[in-house]
Amino acid sequence: MIELSHVSKRFGEANAVDDISLQIPKGKFCALVGTSGCGKSTTLRMINRLIDHSEGTITLDGQPIEEYDPVKLRRRIGYVIQHTGLFPHWSVARNIGLVPRLLKWATSDVQARVEELMHVLGLPVGEFAHKYPHQLSGGQAQRVGVARALAADPDILLMDEPFGALDPITREKLQEELARLQAKLHKTVVFVTHDMDEALKLADHLVVMRDGKIVQQGSPLALLQHPADTFVESMLGGLERGLKQAALTRVKDHMTPMGPMLPAQSRIPAHYSLRQALSMMLRDHSDRLAVVDQHDMPIGELSLRRIIKEAQVEKGSARD
Ligand SMILES: Nc1ncnc2c1ncn2[C@@H]1O[C@H](COP(=O)(O)OP(=O)(O)OP(=O)(O)O)[C@@H](O)[C@H]1O
Ligand SMILES: [Mg+2]
């Protein structure tokens, strides 16, 4: 687990990070959000000792990070930076295989791992392995950066806006891939993003920063239900907050058994979110949806009234 206790970082007079305390248990996904310049990247770089903190303590598995050898520490921690940071004179394959080579893996193992990751990240080996970073689009370069960070199977991943330059489809694919990897391999992830929907979707723990300080932290749902102030509220999307909360709630948790009426025309898979259900209702001018399982068989229904009622119940219980 990663723990920061009263950590500050000064650059000259200015406090880039100001007295932050944060615990990230093993296997959890922590997202840092906040306005530009609020200290998110600095926070990541202090964790892998690319920069030293000025005050406070940072521990990894209970041991202060100063006690780790910085080089060994960094090999244990996958790091994806904001602007990819690929070596320009190295091919894609060589870039991805960097850490496994440093760790002296057998050449055939490195190659197999590189090809596996290129496949996962949608970079066909034949087309991309021998290209150089300047021959890639921004999104392709970002994917190479993510592959490189994952290559040696680190238990900690620090990701600084890793999906910033990707189109929505690739972005969503990689978000799902990351969530899947994390659920399966229990990586501890600290993830910086400007995309609140991405943060809400992926994070177990959401941290909102402003001017080097943590304004609020907690589960995404807790922050959506009780934003500490107007800044957090606006970060969470202001009036869109209701929809963002609906995006975190599954249809299957709110559907009711099929009523005596004819099944609704529009069908929604049970694992979709209430936000997607609302969108479908608006699109189809319908206040009732049939809920279907993975074989497209109806298993229940969802009405607009039900969604609104659930929101009221949640609001009521949140106040208690
Ligand atoms: N090496 C440095 N020397 C001096 N000041 C720095 C240095 N690195 C960062 N800063 C300053 O520290 C503050 C925090 O920077 P940081 O890069 O952590 O912000 P950020 O939250 O990642 O912003 P962005 O969302 O724009 O990436 C900024 O005011 C920045 O100008
Ligand atoms: Mg940054």
Side-chain angles (χ1 to χ4, degrees):
M1 100 126 96
I2 307 168
E3 184 165 9
L4 285 74
S5 176
H6 299 289
V7 170
S8 297
K9 174 67 192 177
R10 271 187 308 276
F11 290 113
E13 295 287 281
N15 256 342
V17 170
D18 191 1
D19 191 24
I20 65 169
S21 294
L22 173 63
Q23 283 186 1
I24 307 155
K26 212 173 163 52
K28 292 291 174 196
F29 197 113
C30 171
L32 304 183
V33 298
T35 43
S36 183
C38 71
K40 304 177 297 291
S41 298
T42 304
T43 302
L44 286 196
R45 285 188 207 123
M46 290 191 294
I47 296 174
N48 64 5
R49 292 194 64 188
L50 281 176
I51 52 179
D52 288 319
H53 52 290
S54 316
E55 267 161 54
T57 50
I58 303 178
T59 60
L60 205 78
D61 299 330
Q63 198 180 341
I65 54 165
E66 304 83 68
E67 293 175 13
Y68 289 88
D69 173 53
V71 175
K72 282 193 189 139
L73 182 79
R74 266 171 242 143
R75 284 180 198 166
R76 248 188 82 181
I77 301 180
Y79 180 44
V80 187
I81 64 173
Q82 224 163 338
H83 303 290
T84 77
L86 300 176
F87 292 104
H89 304 300
W90 286 11
S91 68
V92 163
R94 195 166 169 210
N95 265 291
I96 297 175
L98 169 70
V99 182
R101 276 198 315 277
L102 289 173
L103 293 172
K104 306 211 177 347
W105 288 20
T107 310
S108 57
D109 291 347
V110 176
Q111 193 183 340
R113 179 66 178 155
V114 167
E115 290 183 3
E116 180 191 353
L117 283 164
M118 290 186 69
H119 179 73
V120 166
L121 291 158
L123 296 162
V125 176
E127 191 179 342
F128 288 102
H130 302 291
K131 281 200 166 150
Y132 288 88
H134 74 271
Q135 297 170 310
L136 304 175
S137 74
Q140 288 159 353
Q142 275 197 330
R143 279 179 275 164
V144 175
V146 173
R148 186 175 61 176
L150 290 171
D153 209 7
D155 47 357
I156 297 172
L157 277 173
L158 305 179
M159 309 183 90
D160 200 341
E161 297 181 43
F163 306 148
L166 299 175
D167 65 274
I169 294 171
T170 312
R171 194 178 178 114
E172 201 170 326
K173 208 174 110 200
L174 284 192
Q175 288 168 354
E176 274 157 25
E177 186 56 33
L178 183 61
R180 197 187 60 77
L181 270 171
Q182 200 245 355
K184 197 170 105 194
L185 305 171
H186 309 292
K187 308 231 173 266
T188 309
V189 186
V190 191
F191 187 97
V192 172
T193 179
H194 276 116
D195 179 342
M196 184 53 78
D197 289 313
E198 181 169 87
L200 290 170
K201 184 162 151 192
L202 293 171
D204 302 299
H205 192 74
L206 182 61
V207 177
V208 180
M209 292 181 69
R210 182 185 202 180
D211 298 337
K213 294 192 173 62
I214 292 178
V215 202
Q216 190 175 9
Q217 55 179 317
S219 74
L221 208 54
L223 264 64
L224 281 167
Q225 285 173 340
H226 301 284
D229 57 21
T230 49
F231 175 72
V232 176
E233 191 168 359
S234 66
M235 283 297 299
L236 288 167
L239 269 180
E240 298 269 310
R241 205 144 58 82
L243 285 175
K244 295 198 190 297
Q245 199 168 321
L248 294 185
T249 317
R250 301 291 114 203
V251 165
K252 66 174 182 305
D253 298 324
H254 293 278
M255 66 184 188
T256 50
M258 258 179 302
M261 285 189 287
L262 278 177
Q265 290 294 310
S266 304
R267 294 162 163 245
I268 188 158
H271 67 274
Y272 275 35
S273 71
L274 289 190
R275 182 186 179 131
Q276 287 167 313
L278 279 167
S279 177
M280 196 180 274
M281 287 174 181
L282 287 170
R283 185 195 66 188
D284 296 353
H285 307 287
S286 161
D287 59 3
R288 217 159 57 86
L289 303 175
V291 180
V292 295
D293 65 10
Q294 65 268 42
H295 308 296
D296 205 32
M297 290 297 291
I299 52 172
E301 61 177 39
L302 180 70
S303 66
L304 182 58
R305 269 181 64 184
R306 174 86 189 167
I307 297 178
I308 292 165
K309 219 166 123 195
E310 288 303 330
Q312 280 173 339
V313 171
E314 268 160 23
K315 203 171 157 199
S317 63
R319 270 207 210 98
D320 295 338

